[in-house]
Amino acid sequence: MATISVIQNKLINPLQHYLEDIDLRTDFIKVSIDFKKLYNQNTSHFNELAEEMDLKWDNFLEKDLGFSFELLHLQPTEYHLFFEPEYHFNRYRLKTLRNSFYQDIPFFDLQKWRTYCRSKEKEAFKGGLTNEIWTYPLAEELLGKADEPGYFGGNGSSGWKLHAIANFCLDLYCHQHKIKFLRLTPYDSFMAQGKIELLGNSLKLRKQEQPIQQMMSRKIGYEIPGNKNKDEIVDN
């Protein structure tokens, strides 16, 4: 099987340390998605996406294709976490988020994600122009030859398109299998000491540990043992 592996944001590692300090055990669980099987179970959504992205699924269906993710399982809860890299927020992911499927899922704030895709695409360039992401042989085989990195005048980025499709498939898969699933972004914000802080910046600087722990505990309904952080923190 030809498999595309989609990796989490590298800042998942300091986040793991923060979570384990409040007794949330974090283990990576591999999720393997068979594209053809998922397509056959959700044909109408895929047809809608093909029209939105102006593509055909013939190459995808002819190929024995799979998408691979490693989700972070937050034990003892049932939640599985995916921390988005910055390059996932772009025009192609926005197209997937217009799909009618997203009217019924609770994984994330849809309007916020759409706004990030519109406003953060320049941030996506920082890590998303490498050969392993902007384009690669399998992406071009499925979606056509890519333009030069950063140029969207022709076919744009085959790699970015394929990552957007992979994330669409992950959302479908988790919804279909009733997996408790949480998406985080570097742009998630929270209040700490009276100031708005961004998750990505705070993790890069290895700061705001307790406010981040509190933000995460609220998102997943987890009570921090011993009530280690008693200050009231508001997250967005």
Side-chain angles (χ1 to χ4, degrees), residues 177-194:
H177 290 271
K178 295 181 171 56
I179 295 172
K180 279 197 170 183
F181 181 44
L182 176 67
R183 285 188 180 271
L184 284 185
T185 88
Y187 313 115
D188 287 342
S189 62
F190 56 92
M191 291 292 294
Q193 294 80 49

mmCIF file with all atom_site columns, all heavy atoms in Angstrom, residues 177-194:
data_model
loop_
_atom_site.group_PDB
_atom_site.id
_atom_site.type_symbol
_atom_site.label_atom_id
_atom_site.label_alt_id
_atom_site.label_comp_id
_atom_site.label_asym_id
_atom_site.label_entity_id
_atom_site.label_seq_id
_atom_site.pdbx_PDB_ins_code
_atom_site.Cartn_x
_atom_site.Cartn_y
_atom_site.Cartn_z
_atom_site.occupancy
_atom_site.B_iso_or_equiv
_atom_site.pdbx_formal_charge
_atom_site.auth_seq_id
_atom_site.auth_comp_id
_atom_site.auth_asym_id
_atom_site.auth_atom_id
_atom_site.pdbx_PDB_model_num
ATOM 1   N N   . HIS A 1 177 ? -15.964 6.281  13.363 1.00 0.00 ? 177 HIS A N   1
ATOM 2   C CA  . HIS A 1 177 ? -15.619 5.273  14.370 1.00 0.00 ? 177 HIS A CA  1
ATOM 3   C C   . HIS A 1 177 ? -15.850 5.763  15.795 1.00 0.00 ? 177 HIS A C   1
ATOM 4   O O   . HIS A 1 177 ? -15.434 5.109  16.754 1.00 0.00 ? 177 HIS A O   1
ATOM 5   C CB  . HIS A 1 177 ? -14.167 4.831  14.184 1.00 0.00 ? 177 HIS A CB  1
ATOM 6   C CG  . HIS A 1 177 ? -13.949 4.031  12.945 1.00 0.00 ? 177 HIS A CG  1
ATOM 7   N ND1 . HIS A 1 177 ? -14.074 2.656  12.903 1.00 0.00 ? 177 HIS A ND1 1
ATOM 8   C CD2 . HIS A 1 177 ? -13.649 4.409  11.680 1.00 0.00 ? 177 HIS A CD2 1
ATOM 9   C CE1 . HIS A 1 177 ? -13.840 2.217  11.675 1.00 0.00 ? 177 HIS A CE1 1
ATOM 10  N NE2 . HIS A 1 177 ? -13.579 3.265  10.912 1.00 0.00 ? 177 HIS A NE2 1
ATOM 11  N N   . LYS A 1 178 ? -16.497 6.948  15.909 1.00 0.00 ? 178 LYS A N   1
ATOM 12  C CA  . LYS A 1 178 ? -16.854 7.499  17.222 1.00 0.00 ? 178 LYS A CA  1
ATOM 13  C C   . LYS A 1 178 ? -15.628 7.634  18.135 1.00 0.00 ? 178 LYS A C   1
ATOM 14  O O   . LYS A 1 178 ? -15.692 7.335  19.342 1.00 0.00 ? 178 LYS A O   1
ATOM 15  C CB  . LYS A 1 178 ? -17.954 6.659  17.879 1.00 0.00 ? 178 LYS A CB  1
ATOM 16  C CG  . LYS A 1 178 ? -19.280 6.692  17.119 1.00 0.00 ? 178 LYS A CG  1
ATOM 17  C CD  . LYS A 1 178 ? -20.347 5.867  17.815 1.00 0.00 ? 178 LYS A CD  1
ATOM 18  C CE  . LYS A 1 178 ? -21.719 6.068  17.181 1.00 0.00 ? 178 LYS A CE  1
ATOM 19  N NZ  . LYS A 1 178 ? -21.750 5.770  15.734 1.00 0.00 ? 178 LYS A NZ  1
ATOM 20  N N   . ILE A 1 179 ? -14.514 8.060  17.558 1.00 0.00 ? 179 ILE A N   1
ATOM 21  C CA  . ILE A 1 179 ? -13.294 8.314  18.319 1.00 0.00 ? 179 ILE A CA  1
ATOM 22  C C   . ILE A 1 179 ? -13.376 9.709  18.927 1.00 0.00 ? 179 ILE A C   1
ATOM 23  O O   . ILE A 1 179 ? -13.664 10.678 18.222 1.00 0.00 ? 179 ILE A O   1
ATOM 24  C CB  . ILE A 1 179 ? -12.051 8.199  17.413 1.00 0.00 ? 179 ILE A CB  1
ATOM 25  C CG1 . ILE A 1 179 ? -11.904 6.759  16.904 1.00 0.00 ? 179 ILE A CG1 1
ATOM 26  C CG2 . ILE A 1 179 ? -10.788 8.642  18.150 1.00 0.00 ? 179 ILE A CG2 1
ATOM 27  C CD1 . ILE A 1 179 ? -10.820 6.588  15.856 1.00 0.00 ? 179 ILE A CD1 1
ATOM 28  N N   . LYS A 1 180 ? -13.166 9.822  20.224 1.00 0.00 ? 180 LYS A N   1
ATOM 29  C CA  . LYS A 1 180 ? -13.110 11.140 20.851 1.00 0.00 ? 180 LYS A CA  1
ATOM 30  C C   . LYS A 1 180 ? -11.834 11.826 20.381 1.00 0.00 ? 180 LYS A C   1
ATOM 31  O O   . LYS A 1 180 ? -10.721 11.386 20.712 1.00 0.00 ? 180 LYS A O   1
ATOM 32  C CB  . LYS A 1 180 ? -13.128 11.013 22.373 1.00 0.00 ? 180 LYS A CB  1
ATOM 33  C CG  . LYS A 1 180 ? -14.517 10.818 22.948 1.00 0.00 ? 180 LYS A CG  1
ATOM 34  C CD  . LYS A 1 180 ? -14.526 11.112 24.444 1.00 0.00 ? 180 LYS A CD  1
ATOM 35  C CE  . LYS A 1 180 ? -15.949 11.166 24.972 1.00 0.00 ? 180 LYS A CE  1
ATOM 36  N NZ  . LYS A 1 180 ? -15.989 11.510 26.409 1.00 0.00 ? 180 LYS A NZ  1
ATOM 37  N N   . PHE A 1 181 ? -11.998 12.884 19.633 1.00 0.00 ? 181 PHE A N   1
ATOM 38  C CA  . PHE A 1 181 ? -10.902 13.459 18.873 1.00 0.00 ? 181 PHE A CA  1
ATOM 39  C C   . PHE A 1 181 ? -10.830 14.958 19.115 1.00 0.00 ? 181 PHE A C   1
ATOM 40  O O   . PHE A 1 181 ? -11.848 15.648 19.089 1.00 0.00 ? 181 PHE A O   1
ATOM 41  C CB  . PHE A 1 181 ? -11.148 13.158 17.384 1.00 0.00 ? 181 PHE A CB  1
ATOM 42  C CG  . PHE A 1 181 ? -10.100 13.663 16.448 1.00 0.00 ? 181 PHE A CG  1
ATOM 43  C CD1 . PHE A 1 181 ? -8.758  13.523 16.728 1.00 0.00 ? 181 PHE A CD1 1
ATOM 44  C CD2 . PHE A 1 181 ? -10.475 14.268 15.259 1.00 0.00 ? 181 PHE A CD2 1
ATOM 45  C CE1 . PHE A 1 181 ? -7.796  13.979 15.845 1.00 0.00 ? 181 PHE A CE1 1
ATOM 46  C CE2 . PHE A 1 181 ? -9.533  14.724 14.366 1.00 0.00 ? 181 PHE A CE2 1
ATOM 47  C CZ  . PHE A 1 181 ? -8.180  14.577 14.669 1.00 0.00 ? 181 PHE A CZ  1
ATOM 48  N N   . LEU A 1 182 ? -9.617  15.450 19.371 1.00 0.00 ? 182 LEU A N   1
ATOM 49  C CA  . LEU A 1 182 ? -9.409  16.869 19.630 1.00 0.00 ? 182 LEU A CA  1
ATOM 50  C C   . LEU A 1 182 ? -8.277  17.384 18.748 1.00 0.00 ? 182 LEU A C   1
ATOM 51  O O   . LEU A 1 182 ? -7.187  16.800 18.728 1.00 0.00 ? 182 LEU A O   1
ATOM 52  C CB  . LEU A 1 182 ? -9.044  17.077 21.106 1.00 0.00 ? 182 LEU A CB  1
ATOM 53  C CG  . LEU A 1 182 ? -8.690  18.505 21.539 1.00 0.00 ? 182 LEU A CG  1
ATOM 54  C CD1 . LEU A 1 182 ? -9.915  19.411 21.449 1.00 0.00 ? 182 LEU A CD1 1
ATOM 55  C CD2 . LEU A 1 182 ? -8.130  18.497 22.962 1.00 0.00 ? 182 LEU A CD2 1
ATOM 56  N N   . ARG A 1 183 ? -8.552  18.458 18.006 1.00 0.00 ? 183 ARG A N   1
ATOM 57  C CA  . ARG A 1 183 ? -7.506  19.123 17.223 1.00 0.00 ? 183 ARG A CA  1
ATOM 58  C C   . ARG A 1 183 ? -7.065  20.395 17.959 1.00 0.00 ? 183 ARG A C   1
ATOM 59  O O   . ARG A 1 183 ? -7.898  21.174 18.396 1.00 0.00 ? 183 ARG A O   1
ATOM 60  C CB  . ARG A 1 183 ? -8.010  19.487 15.826 1.00 0.00 ? 183 ARG A CB  1
ATOM 61  C CG  . ARG A 1 183 ? -8.124  18.294 14.869 1.00 0.00 ? 183 ARG A CG  1
ATOM 62  C CD  . ARG A 1 183 ? -8.435  18.782 13.466 1.00 0.00 ? 183 ARG A CD  1
ATOM 63  N NE  . ARG A 1 183 ? -8.559  17.715 12.487 1.00 0.00 ? 183 ARG A NE  1
ATOM 64  C CZ  . ARG A 1 183 ? -7.543  17.211 11.781 1.00 0.00 ? 183 ARG A CZ  1
ATOM 65  N NH1 . ARG A 1 183 ? -6.329  17.701 11.959 1.00 0.00 ? 183 ARG A NH1 1
ATOM 66  N NH2 . ARG A 1 183 ? -7.742  16.257 10.895 1.00 0.00 ? 183 ARG A NH2 1
ATOM 67  N N   . LEU A 1 184 ? -5.751  20.561 18.062 1.00 0.00 ? 184 LEU A N   1
ATOM 68  C CA  . LEU A 1 184 ? -5.176  21.775 18.627 1.00 0.00 ? 184 LEU A CA  1
ATOM 69  C C   . LEU A 1 184 ? -4.425  22.532 17.551 1.00 0.00 ? 184 LEU A C   1
ATOM 70  O O   . LEU A 1 184 ? -3.942  21.930 16.584 1.00 0.00 ? 184 LEU A O   1
ATOM 71  C CB  . LEU A 1 184 ? -4.178  21.437 19.741 1.00 0.00 ? 184 LEU A CB  1
ATOM 72  C CG  . LEU A 1 184 ? -4.679  21.012 21.112 1.00 0.00 ? 184 LEU A CG  1
ATOM 73  C CD1 . LEU A 1 184 ? -3.487  20.850 22.046 1.00 0.00 ? 184 LEU A CD1 1
ATOM 74  C CD2 . LEU A 1 184 ? -5.677  22.000 21.679 1.00 0.00 ? 184 LEU A CD2 1
ATOM 75  N N   . THR A 1 185 ? -4.277  23.844 17.721 1.00 0.00 ? 185 THR A N   1
ATOM 76  C CA  . THR A 1 185 ? -3.489  24.642 16.787 1.00 0.00 ? 185 THR A CA  1
ATOM 77  C C   . THR A 1 185 ? -2.480  25.484 17.567 1.00 0.00 ? 185 THR A C   1
ATOM 78  O O   . THR A 1 185 ? -2.690  25.781 18.746 1.00 0.00 ? 185 THR A O   1
ATOM 79  C CB  . THR A 1 185 ? -4.369  25.597 15.955 1.00 0.00 ? 185 THR A CB  1
ATOM 80  O OG1 . THR A 1 185 ? -4.526  26.832 16.668 1.00 0.00 ? 185 THR A OG1 1
ATOM 81  C CG2 . THR A 1 185 ? -5.732  25.007 15.673 1.00 0.00 ? 185 THR A CG2 1
ATOM 82  N N   . PRO A 1 186 ? -1.387  25.910 16.922 1.00 0.00 ? 186 PRO A N   1
ATOM 83  C CA  . PRO A 1 186 ? -0.439  26.815 17.581 1.00 0.00 ? 186 PRO A CA  1
ATOM 84  C C   . PRO A 1 186 ? -1.073  28.163 17.905 1.00 0.00 ? 186 PRO A C   1
ATOM 85  O O   . PRO A 1 186 ? -0.532  28.925 18.705 1.00 0.00 ? 186 PRO A O   1
ATOM 86  C CB  . PRO A 1 186 ? 0.680   26.987 16.538 1.00 0.00 ? 186 PRO A CB  1
ATOM 87  C CG  . PRO A 1 186 ? 0.502   25.875 15.569 1.00 0.00 ? 186 PRO A CG  1
ATOM 88  C CD  . PRO A 1 186 ? -0.954  25.552 15.565 1.00 0.00 ? 186 PRO A CD  1
ATOM 89  N N   . TYR A 1 187 ? -2.229  28.451 17.277 1.00 0.00 ? 187 TYR A N   1
ATOM 90  C CA  . TYR A 1 187 ? -2.884  29.745 17.438 1.00 0.00 ? 187 TYR A CA  1
ATOM 91  C C   . TYR A 1 187 ? -3.957  29.734 18.514 1.00 0.00 ? 187 TYR A C   1
ATOM 92  O O   . TYR A 1 187 ? -4.595  30.768 18.764 1.00 0.00 ? 187 TYR A O   1
ATOM 93  C CB  . TYR A 1 187 ? -3.485  30.187 16.095 1.00 0.00 ? 187 TYR A CB  1
ATOM 94  C CG  . TYR A 1 187 ? -2.507  30.014 14.959 1.00 0.00 ? 187 TYR A CG  1
ATOM 95  C CD1 . TYR A 1 187 ? -2.751  29.105 13.925 1.00 0.00 ? 187 TYR A CD1 1
ATOM 96  C CD2 . TYR A 1 187 ? -1.320  30.734 14.927 1.00 0.00 ? 187 TYR A CD2 1
ATOM 97  C CE1 . TYR A 1 187 ? -1.842  28.931 12.902 1.00 0.00 ? 187 TYR A CE1 1
ATOM 98  C CE2 . TYR A 1 187 ? -0.401  30.566 13.898 1.00 0.00 ? 187 TYR A CE2 1
ATOM 99  C CZ  . TYR A 1 187 ? -0.670  29.655 12.892 1.00 0.00 ? 187 TYR A CZ  1
ATOM 100 O OH  . TYR A 1 187 ? 0.240   29.478 11.873 1.00 0.00 ? 187 TYR A OH  1
ATOM 101 N N   . ASP A 1 188 ? -4.175  28.594 19.167 1.00 0.00 ? 188 ASP A N   1
ATOM 102 C CA  . ASP A 1 188 ? -5.112  28.556 20.288 1.00 0.00 ? 188 ASP A CA  1
ATOM 103 C C   . ASP A 1 188 ? -4.612  29.507 21.370 1.00 0.00 ? 188 ASP A C   1
ATOM 104 O O   . ASP A 1 188 ? -3.408  29.568 21.652 1.00 0.00 ? 188 ASP A O   1
ATOM 105 C CB  . ASP A 1 188 ? -5.213  27.135 20.853 1.00 0.00 ? 188 ASP A CB  1
ATOM 106 C CG  . ASP A 1 188 ? -5.983  26.205 19.926 1.00 0.00 ? 188 ASP A CG  1
ATOM 107 O OD1 . ASP A 1 188 ? -6.707  26.708 19.055 1.00 0.00 ? 188 ASP A OD1 1
ATOM 108 O OD2 . ASP A 1 188 ? -5.853  24.983 20.085 1.00 0.00 ? 188 ASP A OD2 1
ATOM 109 N N   . SER A 1 189 ? -5.521  30.245 21.968 1.00 0.00 ? 189 SER A N   1
ATOM 110 C CA  . SER A 1 189 ? -5.129  31.262 22.937 1.00 0.00 ? 189 SER A CA  1
ATOM 111 C C   . SER A 1 189 ? -5.746  31.000 24.305 1.00 0.00 ? 189 SER A C   1
ATOM 112 O O   . SER A 1 189 ? -6.742  30.291 24.439 1.00 0.00 ? 189 SER A O   1
ATOM 113 C CB  . SER A 1 189 ? -5.536  32.653 22.436 1.00 0.00 ? 189 SER A CB  1
ATOM 114 O OG  . SER A 1 189 ? -6.943  32.745 22.279 1.00 0.00 ? 189 SER A OG  1
ATOM 115 N N   . PHE A 1 190 ? -5.114  31.571 25.303 1.00 0.00 ? 190 PHE A N   1
ATOM 116 C CA  . PHE A 1 190 ? -5.600  31.441 26.674 1.00 0.00 ? 190 PHE A CA  1
ATOM 117 C C   . PHE A 1 190 ? -5.121  32.663 27.455 1.00 0.00 ? 190 PHE A C   1
ATOM 118 O O   . PHE A 1 190 ? -4.196  33.371 27.049 1.00 0.00 ? 190 PHE A O   1
ATOM 119 C CB  . PHE A 1 190 ? -5.090  30.149 27.320 1.00 0.00 ? 190 PHE A CB  1
ATOM 120 C CG  . PHE A 1 190 ? -3.589  30.006 27.311 1.00 0.00 ? 190 PHE A CG  1
ATOM 121 C CD1 . PHE A 1 190 ? -2.815  30.457 28.374 1.00 0.00 ? 190 PHE A CD1 1
ATOM 122 C CD2 . PHE A 1 190 ? -2.942  29.422 26.215 1.00 0.00 ? 190 PHE A CD2 1
ATOM 123 C CE1 . PHE A 1 190 ? -1.438  30.335 28.361 1.00 0.00 ? 190 PHE A CE1 1
ATOM 124 C CE2 . PHE A 1 190 ? -1.568  29.296 26.194 1.00 0.00 ? 190 PHE A CE2 1
ATOM 125 C CZ  . PHE A 1 190 ? -0.801  29.752 27.265 1.00 0.00 ? 190 PHE A CZ  1
ATOM 126 N N   . MET A 1 191 ? -5.770  32.913 28.585 1.00 0.00 ? 191 MET A N   1
ATOM 127 C CA  . MET A 1 191 ? -5.395  34.025 29.458 1.00 0.00 ? 191 MET A CA  1
ATOM 128 C C   . MET A 1 191 ? -4.479  33.520 30.560 1.00 0.00 ? 191 MET A C   1
ATOM 129 O O   . MET A 1 191 ? -4.742  32.484 31.180 1.00 0.00 ? 191 MET A O   1
ATOM 130 C CB  . MET A 1 191 ? -6.632  34.672 30.072 1.00 0.00 ? 191 MET A CB  1
ATOM 131 C CG  . MET A 1 191 ? -7.507  35.427 29.092 1.00 0.00 ? 191 MET A CG  1
ATOM 132 S SD  . MET A 1 191 ? -6.725  36.912 28.435 1.00 0.00 ? 191 MET A SD  1
ATOM 133 C CE  . MET A 1 191 ? -6.617  37.912 29.922 1.00 0.00 ? 191 MET A CE  1
ATOM 134 N N   . ALA A 1 192 ? -3.381  34.247 30.791 1.00 0.00 ? 192 ALA A N   1
ATOM 135 C CA  . ALA A 1 192 ? -2.470  33.925 31.887 1.00 0.00 ? 192 ALA A CA  1
ATOM 136 C C   . ALA A 1 192 ? -1.915  35.223 32.453 1.00 0.00 ? 192 ALA A C   1
ATOM 137 O O   . ALA A 1 192 ? -1.396  36.053 31.705 1.00 0.00 ? 192 ALA A O   1
ATOM 138 C CB  . ALA A 1 192 ? -1.331  33.034 31.385 1.00 0.00 ? 192 ALA A CB  1
ATOM 139 N N   . GLN A 1 193 ? -2.073  35.402 33.737 1.00 0.00 ? 193 GLN A N   1
ATOM 140 C CA  . GLN A 1 193 ? -1.621  36.626 34.400 1.00 0.00 ? 193 GLN A CA  1
ATOM 141 C C   . GLN A 1 193 ? -2.176  37.876 33.709 1.00 0.00 ? 193 GLN A C   1
ATOM 142 O O   . GLN A 1 193 ? -1.484  38.885 33.533 1.00 0.00 ? 193 GLN A O   1
ATOM 143 C CB  . GLN A 1 193 ? -0.096  36.704 34.469 1.00 0.00 ? 193 GLN A CB  1
ATOM 144 C CG  . GLN A 1 193 ? 0.554   35.649 35.356 1.00 0.00 ? 193 GLN A CG  1
ATOM 145 C CD  . GLN A 1 193 ? 0.684   34.291 34.676 1.00 0.00 ? 193 GLN A CD  1
ATOM 146 O OE1 . GLN A 1 193 ? 1.168   34.205 33.548 1.00 0.00 ? 193 GLN A OE1 1
ATOM 147 N NE2 . GLN A 1 193 ? 0.273   33.239 35.358 1.00 0.00 ? 193 GLN A NE2 1
ATOM 148 N N   . GLY A 1 194 ? -3.427  37.777 33.285 1.00 0.00 ? 194 GLY A N   1
ATOM 149 C CA  . GLY A 1 194 ? -4.105  38.921 32.690 1.00 0.00 ? 194 GLY A CA  1
ATOM 150 C C   . GLY A 1 194 ? -3.745  39.219 31.252 1.00 0.00 ? 194 GLY A C   1
ATOM 151 O O   . GLY A 1 194 ? -4.169  40.238 30.710 1.00 0.00 ? 194 GLY A O   1
#
